[in-house]
Amino acid sequence: MNTYAKYHQSEEDYLESILLISERQPVVHRIDVARDLGVSGAAVNKAVKILLEKGYVEEEGKHIILTGAGAKYAREVFEKHCLIKEFLLSLGVSEQAAEVDACHMEHLLSEETVLAMKNRLGK
């Protein structure tokens, strides 16, 4: 995987994690993100700092909150993930493999490929 894709994968994984956690519980803490992604607290601290600088998240005390731009970006990544997973399932890929593969592919596929998948699925 090239450095560009790896960097954006990490950023997108953190945003997606914050989005999904915020849908399950009223507040998101760094420890929640660390547990969700299976990473260290130091890794979350570094990622949150970058996301703050880019304007994707804000902090209120110990709570992490997606900004409008962060929520939009996170939803786009998650929707792409769901589409890819659905496409793979339609090919007969197992649920487990489709989930794992979608997690990787969501960061690498071009918009053209994603659009072709949508068209094939009739979306």
Side-chain angles (χ1 to χ4, degrees):
M1 179 183 310
N2 67 39
T3 304
Y4 177 81
K6 185 174 185 179
Y7 174 77
H8 285 281
Q9 177 178 352
S10 176
E11 181 178 288
E12 291 173 353
D13 285 344
Y14 280 97
L15 288 171
E16 192 174 10
S17 176
I18 295 166
L19 174 70
L20 296 176
I21 293 168
S22 71
E23 291 176 351
R24 294 190 309 261
Q25 59 192 51
V27 294
V28 179
H29 296 103
R30 291 173 189 237
I31 190 69
D32 300 320
V33 177
R35 285 183 188 135
D36 186 55
L37 295 176
V39 297
S40 69
V44 174
N45 291 338
K46 182 178 178 182
V48 169
K49 182 179 182 217
I50 292 167
L51 296 174
L52 281 163
E53 290 170 358
K54 290 189 169 199
Y56 291 139
V57 299
E58 296 173 342
E59 288 187 294
E60 287 183 11
K62 296 189 180 241
H63 303 160
I64 303 169
I65 302 160
L66 290 170
T67 63
K72 181 179 183 290
Y73 189 7
R75 278 190 207 95
E76 289 170 359
V77 173
F78 183 64
E79 288 171 8
K80 189 185 292 187
H81 173 101
C82 292
L83 174 75
I84 294 166
K85 181 178 175 182
E86 182 180 348
F87 183 78
L88 294 172
L89 290 170
S90 77
L91 297 175
V93 175
S94 72
E95 178 86 22
Q96 184 178 6
E99 177 64 30
V100 170
D101 290 346
C103 283
H104 297 292
M105 294 170 68
E106 69 193 22
H107 310 291
L108 301 172
L109 296 180
S110 69
E111 289 305 312
E112 179 182 351
T113 300
V114 171
L115 183 58
M117 293 170 120
K118 279 184 184 179
N119 289 337
R120 181 59 59 116
L121 292 171
K123 296 189 174 271

